[in-house]
Each structure stands twice: as C-alpha cells, then as structure tokens.
Amino acid sequence: MAEVWIDPARCQGHARCFMLAPETFEIDDDGYGHVIAGREGSYDEENVRKAIRNCPERAIKVIGAEPAS
Amino acid sequence: MSDRTVPQDFDFHGKALDTIFDDYEAMLAEKPVGHSSKYGGFWYISKSDDIFEAEQDPDTWSVGPSMILPGFGTEMPLIPIDIDPPTHAGFRKLLLPMFTPMAINKLEPGMHATAEELAAEVKQAFEADGVVDVSHRFARPYPTIIFSRLAGYPEADWPMFDQWIDDIIYERTKSPETANKAGDDLVAYVQRLIDDGRAGTAQHGIMGDLLDAKVDGRPLTNDELISYGYLLFLAGLDTTAWAIRSSLWYLAGNLEAQRLLRAEPDRVPDAAEEFLRTLSPVQAMARTAKKDTTVRGQEIQAGERVVLVFGAGNRDPEVYDKPNDIDITRENNRHLAFGGGIHRCLGSNLGRKELVISLQHFLATIPEFELAEDEPWHGVGSLRIRLTGGE
C-alpha cells in the first residue's frame, strides 16, 4: 500500500504541506512537518500531490506508488 | 527568445531590476553559471536545480562573511543567516518556535483588523483625491505594524522605521555612508530595546523572549542580541512591504486578475505564491565557496563569492511552463522565493499570511484600480493608482 512520508533530514519547516493538505500533515513545536499518525496510508491524493509539488525541499515522498511528480 | 546577453557587471539591486528578467532569460538560455564584475566579483548560479543543490550543501557553500551582498552597513555577522554549521543550529533553534504556523496564527485577528483599517483609509483617501499612493498608505505600514507588534517595538517608534530601511537597504548600493549611519542608529535602537528589556520596562515580544533564551545552556551575549535584533528588523519589514507592493503593481495592470480574485478570494493564496515566484523581494543571496568545486562544468575556487539567483531559478523553463507568464492559477509552484535548506527564510509563514490577508482585504474594499503612471515592479517606492470606475 502506498504511504506518504516526510524526510526529516530534508524538511526545513516551510509548512506548505500543512497549508495544502492539513488533513494529512501536522507541524511540530519547532515548525517541522510530519504525517499525522495513522494517516500515512489514507489521504486525499490530489491534496498530497499538490503538497509534493509545492514542497521547496522536495521532502515529501509517496512510498510504494508511482512518483507523483 | 531574448537576444540580450548577460551584462558582464550583472547586478541584482536597484535600477538593474528594471530589466533583470531579460538578464535571467539570457543566462538560463546561454550561460547558466557565469561571472559578474560587480561587488568585487562573483559567480552567479541561475538554474533552479543548481540553486537547490547549493542550498542543501552548506559544507561546500559558506554563508560567511555575509549572505547579503553588498552588506547591510555593519561588519558584524547577522545571526543566524551569516552563521555556518555547526554553530548555526543552536542559534536558529531559538527562533523556530516563534515563527511556526501556530505561533503566527495567533496574530491573525490583528492581521485582519489592521488590513481592514488600512484598506478603509485607502478608500477614504480616494474620496479626497483621485490618485492614491498605496505603497505609502498600505504596503509599507502593514508589515511594519504587524511585525512591530510581534517583536515588541513601541508604537511611538514606528515612524522612524521606514527611513532606516530606505537608507540601509536601498541606499547601500548608492551611498554606503548613509547606509552605515542608519545602521549605527538601528544598532543603538536595538541596544535600547535590550536595555529596556533587562530593566523590565519593555513590551513583551520577540526581543523579550530572546533575553530569556539560552544557546548551549547560556544566555545570549549583548552582541548576539544586537545581531538578532538587527536582522529581524531588516528581514521582517521591507521584504513583506515589497511583496505586497509588487502584487498590487501586477493587479493594477491586470483587471481580469483583479476580477477573478475579487470573485473568488480563496484563490488569493495560490496567486500570492505566483507573485512570490515572479516578483519576489529577494532576487538573490550570496555564498562563498569553502573548497574548489564545479557547478555545471564551471570551476569555482575556494574563497570565491557566489550568488544564488533565486529570481532566475524561479523562471527556469525546465521547471515552469511559460516561466515568464504570471499565471495566478498556477498550482505547481515549488519556487525559491524564501530560499531553501538550513537558511530558508524563517519568517515565511508570517510573510505569506501577511501577503494573503492584506491582498484579500484590499480587493474586498477597493474597487477596480489601475496604475496612475508608470512605476517599476520592484522596490518599496511609490505605487500611485486610480480607480477605473468599473465593477
């Protein structure tokens, strides 16, 4: 099953994912993005695709699926 | 296709910005890594992927002696933008919680109220006069008010701020003495805020938080506090004013875009990203090579200055369809307006929200408008508009 993932080594806290797909991503106290626990495999594909294409650090990946961009 | 070549003294400040998009087109097509004789000489890097790679590689590219080229009227390194790893992380971490989306959301009621008030004042000004300078009355005061509240600058001091910014940022390429004088005044002002904070007579705000903050288990030194204060001041006021002004500049020339965003204000966030991509206040930032390296076949030696031209990367045809078109409905917009990597703009959540909220209120309050005269797309100078009588 495809799962969405943020690479913590790349995320710099631009928070684009949180703006574009708040049902999937959350932001920690230092401003870094994370996938909400339990939402890795169930997400709005269109919103997540938009988050991927707008992440300046190219930090969001969908694993186990065709690359979205 | 432009038939221009990249000027041998390529510059990214002041008057050079009038025609810089032609320079970008020439560099991206003919010479994506090249040399300029300006500011003591530097290599420019213009392709989006090359800029991205450089920003991810602080081991090769130092931000010292300053990311800002030419410097901001002070010899001190600005914290944290002019600091390399490993020292950088601790300094940046102090600021991170102050600029998260949640921290910025707390400012939202004030952001709406102030945007509404300023837009109402613009509307009133139109009743008295057919032409209104909306840079002076809207784009500039808005971020000054919002950021000053956040930072804890006393309201009585705000009228001094715009002149300091004009002198430090915009005079420094023309009159370094003026910039240095204003820089000294600003340092003295930040020192006063620190002293008031220590005496317990300051307003609460970021400056107060920094007095309580620790790095590596120790409080910040006076010099470090000054450096933070200096940078936050310059980063927080002028950039957002430029972004609001350049967005209004575009809208004044494009009635269809105004109509669409008035009818569908939910589209303003995407439009704002497009304005940031194409008309951004930070067109480039500098680095210094820490070791000999090669970028796109061009050898660059240790110690040489390099400029990452975000504005060119944002118009890279390999990344964007019709890169020079401003398409306010563009959805894939991984632009470099806030930079990337460990030095990406910390205030991006604040700046984005200020831009979106201010544009929404402006469009909701001011009917269809157009430029009253030719004005440059860039800077924070005047933007005189008049109403068309439409809509």
Side-chain angles (χ1 to χ4, degrees):
Chain A
M1 189 177 71
E3 291 203 345
V4 61
W5 177 71
I6 293 183
D7 182 347
R10 283 188 168 240
C11 175
Q12 296 290 349
H14 295 254
R16 300 296 296 137
C17 57
F18 177 66
M19 297 305 295
L20 296 165
E23 69 285 351
T24 301
F25 301 100
E26 62 186 355
I27 302 289
D28 68 23
D29 290 345
D30 282 338
Y32 295 108
H34 301 272
V35 178
I36 298 171
R39 304 283 172 82
E40 296 86 349
S42 65
Y43 51 84
D44 182 307
E45 278 193 33
E46 180 53 35
N47 286 356
V48 166
R49 186 178 305 121
K50 214 176 161 191
I52 289 171
R53 288 180 174 166
N54 283 278
C55 173
E57 308 293 346
R58 310 178 193 186
I60 308 168
K61 304 266 177 348
V62 173
I63 298 167
E66 294 292 310
S69 68
Chain B
M1 180 62 64
S2 157
D3 55 3
R4 283 174 54 122
T5 53
V6 186
Q8 57 89 24
D9 59 346
F10 167 72
D11 188 8
F12 50 97
H13 293 297
K15 198 82 184 117
L17 292 162
D18 287 351
T19 52
I20 201 163
F21 303 140
D22 296 334
D23 297 340
Y24 293 164
E25 204 172 346
M27 356 177 119
L28 288 162
E30 310 293 339
K31 203 163 174 43
V33 180
H35 196 267
S36 169
S37 59
K38 198 79 187 165
Y39 307 124
F42 62 84
W43 294 100
Y44 66 77
I45 296 180
S46 65
K47 293 288 285 181
S48 179
D49 279 356
D50 293 344
I51 295 168
F52 176 78
E53 292 297 328
E55 296 213 286
Q56 304 296 319
D57 184 10
D59 292 336
T60 302
W61 304 106
S62 169
V63 286
S66 179
M67 186 193 283
I68 314 289
L69 182 73
F72 265 168
T74 166
E75 294 305 310
M76 66 187 168
L78 297 172
I79 300 174
I81 67 167
D82 295 338
I83 309 288
D84 285 322
T87 319
H88 167 267
F91 282 127
R92 183 167 173 108
K93 193 169 167 47
L94 283 186
L95 297 175
L96 286 173
M98 304 174 196
F99 291 94
T100 64
M102 291 72 74
I104 298 308
N105 282 347
K106 291 187 192 145
L107 306 174
E108 213 175 302
M111 285 188 183
H112 281 290
T114 300
E116 213 174 322
E117 271 167 40
L118 289 175
E121 284 172 29
V122 169
K123 196 173 183 196
Q124 247 179 358
F126 272 121
E127 283 158 19
D129 195 347
V131 174
V132 173
D133 179 353
V134 290
S135 180
H136 177 66
R137 287 186 177 267
F138 189 82
R140 292 205 76 171
Y142 186 65
T144 300
I145 294 168
I146 302 303
F147 191 78
S148 296
R149 267 188 212 138
L150 173 66
Y153 304 147
E155 188 164 345
D157 300 338
W158 299 353
M160 302 187 292
F161 293 172
D162 281 353
Q163 189 61 48
W164 283 340
I165 300 237
D166 286 345
D167 287 354
I168 295 172
I169 299 182
Y170 295 98
E171 285 297 316
R172 77 188 200 279
T173 51
K174 293 176 269 179
S175 165
E177 312 78 51
T178 308
N180 289 340
K181 164 80 174 69
D184 290 346
D185 291 347
L186 176 52
V187 167
Y189 178 68
V190 174
Q191 183 68 62
R192 207 160 72 233
L193 292 174
I194 294 167
D195 294 343
D196 289 351
R198 289 201 199 285
T201 56
Q203 292 180 21
H204 184 72
I206 288 177
M207 289 308 291
D209 291 342
L210 287 172
L211 281 172
D212 298 334
K214 288 199 163 63
V215 63
D216 299 333
R218 61 159 178 88
L220 295 167
T221 66
N222 192 70
D223 282 355
E224 287 165 353
L225 286 165
I226 296 241
S227 179
Y228 270 118
Y230 195 89
L231 173 67
L232 287 171
F233 187 93
L234 293 177
L237 303 184
D238 145 79
T239 49
T240 316
W242 175 320
I244 296 169
R245 183 196 171 281
S246 64
S247 301
L248 292 175
W249 174 87
Y250 174 79
L251 290 170
N254 292 272
L255 300 183
E256 265 179 49
Q258 279 186 45
R259 283 175 201 138
L260 179 62
L261 296 181
R262 270 202 194 88
E264 299 177 49
D266 288 351
R267 289 182 178 273
V268 171
D270 278 348
E273 294 304 315
E274 182 69 346
F275 299 143
L276 288 168
R277 180 181 76 85
T278 52
L279 305 171
S280 155
V282 179
Q283 290 292 307
M285 284 285 190
R287 297 288 191 275
T288 303
K290 291 175 84 167
K291 50 193 174 200
D292 294 355
T293 187
T294 302
V295 181
R296 213 166 272 263
Q298 176 62 55
E299 286 178 23
I300 295 173
Q301 290 177 349
E304 289 189 303
R305 293 289 264 160
V306 167
V307 166
L308 308 177
V309 190
F310 303 141
N314 283 345
R315 290 167 179 258
D316 186 339
E318 272 191 81
V319 180
Y320 301 98
D321 293 335
K322 299 186 178 163
N324 291 308
D325 287 4
I326 299 182
D327 171 5
I328 59 169
T329 65
R330 197 183 291 268
E331 289 200 334
N332 298 333
N333 216 338
R334 184 187 273 164
H335 62 71
L336 302 162
F338 296 102
I342 62 170
H343 290 286
R344 73 102 184 153
C345 172
L346 196 63
S348 66
N349 296 311
L350 173 62
R352 283 190 154 106
K353 199 169 266 279
E354 287 179 282
L355 180 57
V356 168
I357 289 177
S358 65
L359 292 179
Q360 284 173 334
H361 282 285
F362 193 93
L363 288 167
T365 309
I366 308 301
E368 206 168 274
F369 58 92
E370 63 186 5
L371 292 175
E373 56 196 272
D374 260 359
E375 306 263 17
W377 70 268
H378 54 87
V380 293
S382 67
L383 185 70
R384 281 179 282 267
I385 64 167
R386 64 177 165 239
L387 305 182
T388 66
E391 303 277 301

